[in-house]
Amino acid sequence: MKLLMVTPYPPYRDGIGTYAVQEVRRLRAEGIDVEVLSPVPSAAHHHLALGTLRGVLALTKRARRYERTMIQFSPEMFFGSCRGPLERVAVWNGLEALARVTRLEIRQHEIEWGPLSRNPAERWAAARALRAADVVSVHTQGEVDRLTDALAIDEGVVTLVEHGRNFVQATTETQAEARAELGLGRHRHQFLAIGFLQEHKGFDRAAEAFRAAGLAGQAELHVVGSVRVNHPDLLAHAKALHRLAASIPGVEVHERYVSDEEFDRWILAADTVVLPYREIWSSSVLERAKLLERPIIAADVGGLGDQAPEGTLFFDDAESLAQCLKERAATTVVPLDSATAADVDPEPTAAPLDRWNVAVDAPDRASIEDQIRRRARTARRARGASGLTGRPADAVAEGAAEAAEPLLRLEELQRPALTSTRRGVSAVKRTVRRLLDWELAPVVRQVDELQQATTEAVGRLDAALGRVGTGERAGDRRPPAPIPAGRAVVEDPFVHTALGALSTGARVLLVGGAGSSLAAELDAAGFRLTVVDPGAVAQAAGGDPDPVGEPSALGEHDAVVALSAAGARAGLDHGAWLTALRRGLADGGRLVVSLERRAGDESTPPQGLKVLAHRMAVESAGGRWRVVAEAPAGDARRLVMAVTQIG
């Protein structure tokens, strides 16, 4: 038998396409000769532009060559370029004609109810097309009921097909191995929301509920996925999701398209998979969570109630979602105040720089400093909530932090898209844009700059209010030391990331930088901070080494931070500088340091050789160090890195 499969297909990024690959594999294993037709160029045998009446007519002509045709149906594929209701009706009529020339199966993954409810002619045409098909299949009983009721067709016309019947596990890792591969902690409850970043997926609902549940420090929520197509609305939603996550401790967005193997790795690594959908028919994510035996929290929408396994927690509003998260987190959480050394998450083998969105080639200072302010503010808020501080000023600082939230979540001003499905309208829009751009572009820039300035002003007010009641006045701090161009843009975020695994109250030694913004941020983050002059550290490089077992004059700290300004003032070579810094580090501590080529060095080598030279300089210093993370520090001479002791 020769069958034509009509579907999106890899490498095009589409969930239905991923589903179809597994369907094709099953059919071929049964001995069926399958050819695939995709609406866009892909790994399919054929491609044909659909989305209009012309596309469906061309498909009908081609389908005559096959005994069977199976359509993995989505509204976008067949109606995406229609010019209005009349053409949508014509497309349904075309599908009815297709069913007359071949045995047609329509695998209904979703349907647009709005146009059907508004247009009786489209309802009538859709019902005729589905009745004419040889098979109409869906994944849940709820979909059967709604489809038959809405279109007044007999229930026997629509059949059930188990969503996950073709799914196979793409990885054989254990959960511990998956977490190690992804850099996730072992002793925090890991929530996962995965899929394309679209508003109807509701990932923002999960993040807001995580905040409301107060799970920072006990659990983490990872949102994993990518924007499926570069549509302005989808891109704006992804940006808003990033801003929201940056304001909530414990929530991270990993924006990238993942392979089948990595998709399963994330699910396997999770303690709970969260499906916070606003609307859905059925979910491949749910099926993969069932396959990998992961607990599930799901919205009570679409056919998820029929599809979900026993034990799934369902929610119907924000409050019940937060309660579900609390209930699931309580199953494995290790309270921070009672955790033993064995319970503390290990430091990652590489610092996850993507948490900071640092563009090392062309860093955006305003964006980075904004991230720093938000993280410092939320860390202070978390300490106040946990009872670590009892100052009356905490309530004032909390108010300032809340005042900043609406500003932090504002999107940049987006000008209207220059596209339209109506013939000739796109050209008119482009012409109007060219005529008015000289006047409107400055207004757009002014609005964006006003938003950034307002956010920065509220952030500074928040920092000032955070000092109320501490006895500290703005004049108490010395003016910040001059910062080399580009240093704070990359090095300061790197410090926050590299120290992210340290618990509140960890001992941190900052070499230089008294009165700097970095010192204030580390103090606000809850570390027991000591600031020393680089000269004092340089003095420790002379004379005999400290006797084994005796404390250093600098004390013993969980981390030592010495950035480029401090190294330049110390005037020591790399080996002596690292030896001196080691005096202030406790066993197993972490050193965050930047190394800079001296003025007398030969001309700067290419980037790759520069990185290699710095790494070798660190790792050969007494055989005591191992580089665990690094990044260019904003110019051609410096490299910032985090290192740990290995002997």
Side-chain angles (χ1 to χ4, degrees):
M1 176 181 293
K2 196 170 184 180
L3 181 145
L4 179 66
M5 175 83 71
V6 183
T7 177
Y9 214 63
Y12 181 72
R13 298 177 177 181
D14 187 273
I16 294 176
T18 302
Y19 173 93
V21 168
Q22 298 165 96
E23 182 86 2
V24 169
R25 186 182 299 121
R26 178 186 66 83
L27 292 170
R28 286 178 175 163
E30 295 176 358
I32 298 175
D33 181 9
V34 181
E35 292 186 9
V36 180
L37 182 146
S38 170
V40 295
S42 66
H45 301 84
H46 317 281
H47 74 273
L48 180 65
L50 300 172
T52 62
L53 175 60
R54 178 182 297 179
V56 174
L57 295 177
L59 175 61
T60 302
K61 181 178 179 180
R62 183 163 300 189
R64 294 176 184 275
R65 309 171 194 170
Y66 300 87
E67 298 174 64
R68 287 179 56 195
T69 298
M70 177 183 291
I71 294 176
Q72 305 289 348
F73 185 90
S74 71
E76 180 184 0
M77 185 165 64
F78 282 93
F79 305 110
S81 299
C82 287
R83 294 181 179 85
L86 288 178
E87 188 169 9
R88 291 178 63 95
V89 172
V91 167
W92 282 114
N93 290 334
L95 290 173
E96 182 184 0
L98 175 63
R100 306 299 181 190
V101 302
T102 181
R103 293 179 57 194
L104 177 64
E105 177 175 353
I106 299 177
R107 182 70 51 82
Q108 199 87 38
H109 290 281
E110 56 185 272
I111 195 168
E112 292 176 320
W113 295 112
L116 290 174
S117 64
R118 292 190 297 268
N119 189 348
E122 183 170 343
R123 284 200 306 275
W124 177 81
R128 285 180 58 90
L130 296 183
R131 291 192 192 102
D134 192 55
V135 177
V136 177
S137 52
V138 295
H139 295 306
T140 68
Q141 185 59 44
E143 297 170 274
V144 173
D145 297 339
R146 186 172 186 184
L147 198 59
T148 54
D149 290 345
L151 300 181
I153 56 179
D154 295 336
E155 185 171 334
V157 172
V158 185
T159 62
L160 277 174
V161 172
E162 185 182 354
H163 194 138
R165 68 175 180 173
N166 303 315
F167 288 6
V168 294
Q169 189 168 327
T171 179
T172 58
E173 297 172 326
T174 65
Q175 186 181 59
E177 291 170 341
R179 288 194 175 187
E181 182 74 18
L182 296 170
L184 304 182
R186 292 178 298 169
H187 298 287
R188 292 183 179 179
H189 193 101
Q190 301 293 339
F191 291 103
L192 172 68
I194 189 168
F196 288 114
L197 305 183
Q198 298 171 276
E199 186 174 4
H200 78 269
K201 295 295 182 69
F203 296 153
D204 55 315
R205 301 174 73 190
E208 293 283 13
F210 187 92
R211 188 212 306 264
L215 297 176
Q218 303 176 29
E220 296 176 358
L221 170 64
H222 296 272
V223 177
V224 181
S226 65
V227 176
R228 189 167 62 86
V229 292
N230 290 329
H231 188 279
D233 292 345
L234 298 179
L235 294 173
H237 177 72
K239 289 181 180 179
L241 195 59
H242 278 287
R243 287 193 295 271
L244 176 62
S247 70
I248 306 175
V251 178
E252 291 186 52
V253 177
H254 308 265
E255 185 177 348
R256 62 178 182 270
Y257 184 77
V258 297
S259 65
D260 292 345
E261 181 181 3
E262 187 179 354
F263 196 101
D264 278 9
R265 180 178 295 126
W266 274 106
I267 292 178
L268 189 62
D271 290 302
T272 303
V273 177
V274 185
L275 282 67
Y277 303 146
R278 291 184 169 90
E279 57 182 67
I280 198 75
W281 270 50
S282 60
S283 170
S284 291
V285 176
L286 190 150
E287 288 296 337
R288 301 214 69 83
K290 285 166 59 176
L291 179 67
L292 296 167
E293 299 181 339
R294 296 291 89 203
I296 298 166
I297 295 174
D300 191 10
V301 296
L304 296 188
D306 296 325
Q307 189 183 6
E310 185 177 353
T312 297
L313 298 181
F314 285 97
F315 70 90
D316 53 17
D317 55 25
E319 184 178 353
S320 59
L321 174 55
Q323 186 58 42
C324 288
L325 294 175
K326 285 183 181 180
E327 183 175 334
R328 283 297 310 153
T331 60
T332 58
V333 71
V334 178
L336 294 180
D337 56 357
S338 63
T340 65
D343 290 324
V344 178
D345 290 339
E347 293 182 339
T349 56
L353 290 177
D354 59 328
R355 297 184 183 187
W356 281 91
N357 301 322
V358 179
V360 295
D361 294 329
D364 177 3
R365 180 184 298 273
S367 174
I368 294 298
E369 290 181 351
D370 179 57
Q371 292 181 65
I372 292 172
R373 285 193 297 272
R374 283 182 288 180
R375 289 175 182 265
R377 180 179 67 253
T378 52
R380 180 170 66 249
R381 187 188 308 170
R383 291 201 315 281
S386 62
L388 295 176
T389 58
R391 306 191 306 269
D394 287 341
V396 182
E398 172 75 11
E402 292 295 338
E405 290 297 339
L407 290 170
L408 293 172
R409 296 184 59 182
L410 270 179
E411 300 178 4
E412 295 180 358
L413 181 61
Q414 299 288 333
R415 301 181 70 174
L418 300 178
T419 58
S420 174
T421 58
R422 297 162 61 189
R423 189 183 304 276
V425 174
S426 296
V428 173
K429 288 184 175 181
R430 287 193 294 269
T431 301
V432 172
R433 172 69 58 85
R434 284 196 294 269
L435 292 173
L436 299 179
D437 207 44
W438 67 274
E439 188 172 21
L440 293 180
V443 176
V444 173
R445 286 196 298 271
Q446 177 73 9
V447 170
D448 288 339
E449 290 170 1
L450 179 62
Q451 177 186 338
Q452 294 174 7
T454 306
T455 303
E456 182 176 355
V458 174
R460 289 180 178 178
L461 176 62
D462 179 23
L465 290 175
R467 294 193 292 267
V468 176
T470 65
E472 177 188 338
R473 299 184 302 274
D476 290 341
R477 292 185 179 271
R478 289 182 288 168
I483 299 175
R487 186 195 70 76
V489 174
V490 175
E491 293 187 6
D492 286 7
F494 190 95
V495 171
H496 287 272
T497 304
L499 303 186
L502 298 182
S503 60
T504 301
R507 301 159 299 173
V508 176
L509 178 67
L510 177 61
V511 181
S516 67
S517 59
L518 178 60
E521 291 151 10
L522 293 176
D523 179 62
F527 297 127
R528 292 159 52 193
L529 183 67
T530 302
V531 184
V532 299
D533 189 87
V537 178
Q539 292 176 4
D544 297 329
D546 291 332
V548 177
E550 294 188 11
S552 165
L554 297 173
E556 293 189 341
H557 297 80
D558 300 300
V560 174
V561 179
L563 300 182
S564 52
R569 288 175 58 188
L572 302 176
D573 62 43
H574 290 159
W577 183 228
L578 292 169
T579 300
L581 293 174
R582 182 180 178 275
R583 303 290 182 97
L585 204 60
D587 290 341
R590 169 166 287 195
L591 170 63
V592 183
V593 64
S594 60
L595 300 181
E596 182 171 2
R597 296 177 63 82
R598 302 288 182 250
D601 290 349
E602 297 180 359
S603 59
T604 301
Q607 172 68 23
L609 293 179
K610 179 205 70 171
V611 172
L612 179 61
H614 284 340
R615 186 186 299 124
M616 292 176 63
V618 169
E619 294 180 345
S620 64
R624 298 181 180 277
W625 306 102
R626 175 172 60 87
V627 177
V628 296
E630 59 192 18
D635 63 25
R637 295 189 304 159
R638 288 199 308 276
L639 184 75
V640 59
M641 59 184 70
V643 298
T644 57
Q645 295 171 275
I646 59 175

